[in-house]
Amino acid sequence: PVLDPKPIERGNVDGEIMSASVAQANGRKKAEEKDTTAEITKKPRSCMDTLTFYVYVLGIWISFLVFGWTQEALAKEDFDGDTFHFTHTQVFLQSVGNMIVAFAAILLECSLSSTPLTLNAGVSLRHWLIASLGYQGAHFFGLHSLQYVSFPVQIVIKSCKTVPVLIGEVLIAGEKATLKKFVSVFILSFGVVLFLFFKPSKKQSSGVDEFEMTQKFLLGLSMILLALICDGIYGPYQNFIKNTYQRCGAFHLMFNMNLWQGVFSFIWATADGELMDTVRFVQKHPTVMPYLINFCASMALGSSFIYLLQRRCGALTVTKTTTVRKLFSVLVSAYYFGHTISSVQWMGVLVVFTSKFTAPLIASGISSFLKGQPSSQKQKKA
């Protein structure tokens, strides 16, 4: 008899379907086993990631709380009738601490990735010198301003870094200013006005009005403004270096900026005799040594924690973390050094510190409104 080929084909198809079903079932079983294994092995890693995250965040908060307190203590504390006013030496010591940490990190990265050690990342010396001069100016004027104004005033106004950086990006890097940045500038300016001009009705416990527009206060403000101008120079120039030289990582920036900042500060401190005055001051007042050690170590550790957190969690997480630490720094300064801050001024502090989050929301709302306006007008005409 002649066999009908169709049943044979159907039988082959059914067999293939059955084989495929068995294979899929086995595949699903293996996949489930694999997912279960992955889930079991993932749980400890997730806990470890969470622990690492909190270590980085606490490291930033503690390091910069100590750093902020030490800055003000060095400027305000009385050491048997003398005050520590050697700003160039402070910048030099800060540079040495940061440079050591950055060098160790570069060595570690090169050993882990088996890449040759390059400290300047191929960046031209001219670029490092220009950026480092701005960097040195920002730190010198910022630290020096504490001899004339309180730490809360310094940190609130210094938080308006966006304003000079926006100008620097347009003039130096040739970038276009966005609506978000313009909104951010307006919010920052509004917050600073609240902080500076709505001073408390009562004076400090010492009887001094810290927000009175005296010659000393205005000199301190001018120092902060000069620091902001320097921020507007080195910030965009750093971005230019990173975008031009692909091998230049965060620790390369940290090492080279602090290397040349340290060189400039050392030359200046040596030329005007400040370095020897610092040595004599330490010999006369050895109690200042813990302050100087805390100053160097806290800055270096804080910068390292910021880099590690940014590499793991991104820039937004770093922004949130540093915003909280600035608020903590103002609280600690107000409590420890007895600064009186009014409720309106606290509102100004919050406006300044939260501007990085509120500015994008407001800019987005304005943009949506402007985009929706023509369409609504067309609907009315129709």
Side-chain angles (χ1 to χ4, degrees), residues 86-99:
F86 309 111
T87 311
H88 283 297
T89 306
Q90 278 183 268
V91 177
F92 171 70
L93 294 173
Q94 174 183 315
S95 302
V96 171
N98 286 339
M99 191 174 62

Side-chain angles (χ1 to χ4, degrees), residues 134-135 137-143 145 154 158 161 164 221-234:
Y135 191 60
H139 285 141
F140 172 78
F141 291 120
L143 287 169
S145 67
Q154 189 236 43
K158 276 277 285 174
K161 204 174 176 179
L221 286 183
S222 66
M223 291 284 176
I224 300 173
L225 291 176
L226 286 171
L228 286 172
I229 291 171
C230 291
D231 282 330
I233 295 171
Y234 91 81

Side-chain angles (χ1 to χ4, degrees), residues 156-157 160 187-197 348 351-352:
V156 169
I157 300 179
C160 299
I187 293 172
L188 288 168
S189 303
F190 176 67
V192 169
V193 167
L194 288 179
F195 185 78
L196 288 181
F197 296 103
V351 167
V352 169

Side-chain angles (χ1 to χ4, degrees), residues 241-313:
I241 291 172
K242 282 192 294 184
N243 296 332
T244 307
Y245 299 91
Q246 300 300 322
R247 288 188 299 162
C248 185
F251 280 124
H252 287 99
L253 279 171
M254 185 176 173
F255 175 81
N256 286 279
M257 297 284 283
N258 283 282
L259 169 66
W260 293 110
Q261 175 183 247
V263 170
F264 295 142
S265 300
F266 181 80
I267 292 172
W268 195 286
T270 305
D272 69 355
E274 183 184 302
L275 196 61
M276 293 308 300
D277 289 341
T278 306
V279 173
R280 283 190 285 268
F281 187 93
V282 172
Q283 289 174 343
K284 184 180 178 182
H285 308 289
T287 52
V288 79
M289 276 302 296
Y291 292 90
L292 296 176
I293 293 170
N294 287 337
F295 179 79
C296 298
S298 58
M299 179 60 176
L301 286 173
S303 300
S304 303
F305 280 125
I306 283 178
Y307 171 73
L308 293 169
L309 184 64
Q310 180 161 352
R311 189 170 64 174
R312 179 174 287 266
C313 302

